[in-house]
Each structure stands twice: as structure tokens, then as C-alpha cells.
Amino acid sequence: MEFESLRARMVERLVDEGYILTENVRRAFEAVPRERFVPSEYRARSYVDMPLPIGEGQTISAPSMVAIMLEVSDLSEGLNTLEIGAGSGYNACLIAQIVGDDHLVTIERIHTVYMQAKENLKRCSKVVDVVHGDGTEGWPAKAPYDRIIITAAAPDLPKPLKEQLKVGGKLIAPVGKTAGFQTLTVAIKQPDGSFKEKRFGACAFVPLIGTYGF
Ligand code: SAM
């Protein structure tokens, strides 16, 4: 079966199973070919709902997990967004479908993975800024952000990221100190600088490694 029909079936499944809830997220999944972000040896499995290796011990997350994170991120056009953990670039391309051209910076720590994300994102229909570095320090050049999305497991919410968020902005992250078990957390910045946290269930991500990570 061709990738296009497999993609349409995956989106239908994610809607039926309750992972995709909004029009914005559905349209983003329909628009982005996941097979372009998957290494050639795994391409045939691009539309199976599972994480896949992308090299250096890292992964492109399962589509259902990506959908959950996009839904809780509550994205809309024009939101200034930072993603930590570019990985394959797939999630970045999905986010960019919603926030639009030049509204997303994505940071990757591992150089070869960063090069891969940069290459893959050349074919994304929206313009994304891809940066190599330690995302736990944030990216002050484009701060403050409406949304900061961490796609790796954080022991705590990194201080620089909390500082680089606007009041009313949302910091989305898998949070937990135990390997293989985190809680998907959305922290909303309050006018006094404190955070109100909402938790959305268990998840398992590779670790966020850096000055304010593991
Ligand atoms: N969003 C990615 C995608 O769509 O393919 C999947 C991300 S993968 C689960 C987590 C990524 O976070 C890995 O590529 C890893 O190298 C990266 N990472 C870990 N710590 C980081 C840090 N401090 N700064 C930036 N990237 C980091």
C-alpha cells in the first residue's frame, strides 16, 4: 500500500482511538509524511504506531504519543514556540503546520541527529529554525515563548525554560526521575511567576541530558 493511504488510515485510527481531538492536529498529521523522517531501514514501518530508532540511541516517538503531546500543547497559528529535542524533525514539522512559518525553534543536542533534523526539515512545508545545542538552557534569542515543548524526559522543569516562557504560556514535558517512566506535565506560567501544573498520565521518553537535565 502507498504511504499516502497508510497515512490517511493512521490519521483515521488516531481520531477513532481518541488521540487526535482537534482539527488543527488532524490537519497537521495529514500534511506531514512521517516516512520522510524515518531512517530508510525502518521506512516500511512509518505508519505503525510505534517509536522507531533514528540513530545514536534516540527515537522518533510513536504517532499516538506525538498526538497526545500536540493536543495538550494547545497550539494555534502565530504562537512563538520552542521545541527541545528535534530528533528526526517530525514533531517540529507537525508543530510548524499549526503555528506557521518562522514561529518554531527546535534544538537538538547530538550533532549527527541535529544534522539529520536539519536535512529532514528542508522538506517541511513550513520554515523551522533548527539549532544545535543544549536545549535545557533554552534559546534566549527568540524568547519569550508562548509554548515550550520538551520531547525528552526531564527530571524537573528546567529553570531557564521557565524563565523564557510568557505569563500564560505553557511548558509541556514528560517529567520524572525514573528511567522509562514519566508523567506528561503541562505547566502554565502565572502572573506572579509561579506555575500551575496539570498531569496527563504516564509516558516513556529518552532522557533530557544537559545542564538543567540529567
Ligand atoms: N521530537 C523528536 C522527533 O519528532 O523525532 C523526537 C525526540 S527524541 C524522543 C528526544 C531527543 O531529545 C533526542 O534526539 C535527544 O538527543 C534530544 N535531547 C536530549 N537532551 C537534549 C537537550 N538537552 N537539548 C536538546 N536535545 C536533547
Side-chain angles (χ1 to χ4, degrees):
M1 196 182 278
E2 283 181 18
F3 283 131
E4 213 166 305
S5 357
L6 288 172
R7 183 158 70 251
R9 278 176 52 172
M10 177 190 77
V11 174
E12 230 172 83
R13 237 180 11 250
L14 292 174
V15 170
D16 287 349
E17 291 169 3
Y19 294 109
I20 293 180
L21 302 168
T22 59
E23 196 59 20
N24 273 344
V25 174
R26 187 176 64 78
R27 280 209 211 102
F29 270 100
E30 284 170 350
V32 181
R34 190 171 186 251
E35 69 275 13
R36 287 195 193 158
F37 296 84
V38 167
S40 52
E41 61 269 40
Y42 300 109
R43 204 149 282 156
R45 281 185 252 171
S46 297
Y47 292 101
V48 180
D49 190 17
M50 63 190 293
L52 293 168
I54 56 168
E56 306 283 354
Q58 306 305 318
T59 54
I60 171 173
S61 303
S64 53
M65 190 65 240
V66 175
I68 292 171
M69 279 194 90
L70 289 175
E71 289 292 359
V72 303
S73 297
D74 180 30
L75 296 166
S76 56
E77 199 177 342
L79 290 185
N80 190 33
T81 305
L82 176 67
E83 182 195 36
I84 315 299
S88 66
Y90 178 61
N91 191 46
C93 192
L94 291 169
I95 294 170
Q97 301 303 310
I98 305 175
V99 299
D101 281 319
D102 288 315
H103 280 82
L104 173 67
V105 179
T106 183
I107 309 182
E108 174 54 51
R109 184 184 74 90
I110 301 173
H111 192 259
T112 51
V113 178
Y114 153 77
M115 295 293 285
Q116 188 184 138
K118 204 168 167 60
E119 190 57 35
N120 290 345
L121 283 165
K122 279 186 189 157
R123 291 201 291 162
C124 179
S125 58
K126 303 286 177 194
V127 179
V128 176
D129 198 356
V130 192
V131 171
H132 175 233
D134 176 4
T136 67
E137 313 235 19
W139 189 249
K142 293 269 177 86
Y145 298 97
D146 296 289
R147 299 286 184 272
I148 300 179
I149 303 170
I150 310 178
T151 62
D156 301 293
L157 299 174
K159 188 166 169 270
L161 301 185
K162 288 164 112 178
E163 289 167 356
Q164 289 171 34
L165 197 65
K166 287 182 191 170
V167 169
K170 295 181 180 176
L171 175 45
I172 299 96
V175 179
K177 292 190 167 69
T178 315
F181 182 85
Q182 301 94 37
T183 304
L184 180 58
T185 303
V186 177
I188 306 163
K189 191 165 181 174
Q190 307 298 302
D192 65 359
S194 67
F195 282 79
K196 213 171 245 174
E197 292 188 12
K198 291 186 185 171
R199 294 189 177 79
F200 291 89
C203 52
F205 278 78
V206 294
L208 179 75
I209 296 169
T211 308
Y212 298 91
F214 283 102

